[in-house]
Amino acid sequence: MSSALNLNEERKIIEKFQHKTWNEIKTNDTWAIFKIMAEFVNGYEKMSKIGPCVSIFGSARTKPDQKYYKLAENIAYELTQNGFGVITGGGPGIMEAGNKGAHRGEGASVGLNIDLPFEQHDNPYIDHDKNVMFDYFFVRKVMFVKYAQGFVVMPGGFGTLDELFEAVTLIQTKKIGKFPIILVGSEFWNGIFDWVKEVLIGQFGNASAEDMDLIQIVDTEKEVVDILNNFYKKYSLSPNF
C-alpha cells in the first residue's frame, strides 16, 4: 500500500514538468470543469434545504474514549436542542462525534465527505439523504462556510487549521457575515493564538488587533451555546425549531 502511494506521489510530481498536448489539456483539464460544476450543483441543491446549522471542525484521529470526542458530541446535542443542525466533514473522530450528538438530539446531521486515500470514511450517524460526497477540497469548503450560521472548532490537525483560517479570512475580508467562530479547548488553542497576538500581529503587523475579536476560546458546551444564542439575540433572530 505504501509503495503504491509513493509511486502515485512520484507520478504527480513528474506530471507537473511534462509538456501537455492540446488534446490532453482538453481531456484532463478542461473537462474537469464540468465535474467541479456538478459537485457545486449537487452540494447547493442538498445544502439549501437543511435550515440553520453550525459547522463543527476537528480531527479525524480523535478516539471515542477521548474527552474532546465526548465534548464534541455534547456540543452537537446541545446545538440541536437550541434549534441548530450540525455540519461536519462526515468522517471519523470529531466529525463522527458531531453527527452522533446531532443524531441523539434528533436534529439535522449533515456530512460533507471527501474521497481520501486514508483516514476518511463515512460515519454511521449522518442522515442518509444528507451525506454529500466531494472529490475537491475547495468545493467542500464552500459548503462548510456558505451554509453555516456559526463555526465550532475542536482540536485538530492541518485540515482543521485550514478550515478555521478559511472562515477567519472570509469574515475578515467581509466575503461572508461576521458569524461566531468558537474554538473549544483552551489547552490546545491558547498557544497558537498567543503566537498570533504576539508575533503575527504584535511583532510583524500582518493582521489587525481587532481581528482577534472574531474568535472566542472556550472549554464547555454551555459556553458554545451561550455565545451562539447571545449573538443571534442581538439581531432578534433564532434558529427554527
Side-chain angles (χ1 to χ4, degrees):
M1 180 67 176
S2 60
S3 60
L5 284 175
N6 289 337
L7 287 172
N8 191 41
E9 290 302 315
E10 289 180 7
R11 179 183 57 78
K12 290 177 181 178
I13 293 168
I14 293 167
E15 282 181 352
K16 289 295 182 182
F17 288 86
Q18 291 177 336
H19 178 73
K20 292 182 179 179
T21 68
W22 176 239
N23 284 336
E24 287 174 326
I25 292 171
K26 286 195 295 183
T27 301
N28 298 321
D29 294 346
T30 308
W31 284 98
I33 293 170
F34 295 99
K35 186 176 179 182
I36 293 166
M37 288 173 58
E39 287 201 358
F40 273 116
V41 170
N42 184 51
Y44 288 162
E45 286 184 347
K46 289 190 175 182
M47 298 295 290
S48 62
K49 304 171 185 175
I50 63 174
C53 279
V54 173
S55 285
I56 298 179
F57 304 134
S59 176
R61 304 185 188 193
T62 305
K63 305 301 181 189
D65 60 351
Q66 295 177 329
K67 71 174 184 178
Y68 285 111
Y69 182 103
K70 190 62 181 177
L71 184 53
E73 180 185 341
N74 289 340
I75 288 169
Y77 173 81
E78 292 298 334
L79 288 173
T80 63
Q81 302 312 289
N82 283 267
F84 291 99
V86 167
I87 303 170
T88 81
I94 294 296
M95 297 175 279
E96 178 182 288
N99 291 126
K100 184 178 181 180
H103 180 78
R104 175 159 61 93
E106 299 183 348
S109 182
V110 182
L112 306 180
N113 245 294
I114 190 159
D115 185 22
L116 295 177
F118 59 92
E119 285 187 1
Q120 188 79 5
H121 57 77
D122 296 0
N123 71 65
Y125 300 103
I126 307 166
D127 297 344
H128 75 278
D129 61 335
K130 295 184 176 69
N131 185 23
V132 190
M133 287 299 304
F134 297 91
D135 279 330
Y136 297 97
F137 267 114
F138 66 89
V139 181
R140 181 180 182 239
K141 286 201 293 182
V142 168
M143 304 304 156
F144 273 130
V145 173
K146 182 176 176 61
Y147 294 100
Q149 281 75 49
F151 305 94
V152 173
V153 192
M154 309 295 295
F158 291 127
T160 301
L161 294 175
D162 177 42
E163 291 155 349
L164 164 62
F165 286 109
E166 175 91 5
V168 172
T169 300
L170 290 170
I171 292 174
Q172 178 201 45
T173 55
K174 297 180 170 55
K175 293 296 184 181
I176 64 172
K178 195 175 179 181
F179 298 113
I181 299 175
I182 308 163
L183 310 185
V184 181
S186 57
E187 64 181 353
F188 183 86
W189 294 110
N190 279 346
I192 297 173
F193 284 93
D194 285 345
W195 175 83
V196 169
K197 287 182 281 188
E198 294 167 13
V199 180
L200 192 150
I201 295 174
Q203 186 175 339
F204 286 87
N206 290 339
S208 302
E210 57 264 30
D211 292 334
M212 293 303 298
D213 296 338
L214 301 173
I215 298 160
Q216 298 182 70
I217 300 175
V218 305
D219 288 295
T220 67
E221 56 263 42
K222 183 179 185 304
E223 290 173 294
V224 171
V225 173
D226 285 349
I227 288 170
L228 286 163
N229 284 339
N230 290 336
F231 176 83
Y232 282 104
K233 279 179 185 174
K234 290 190 303 183
Y235 301 95
S236 299
L237 295 171
S238 63
N240 298 320
F241 282 93

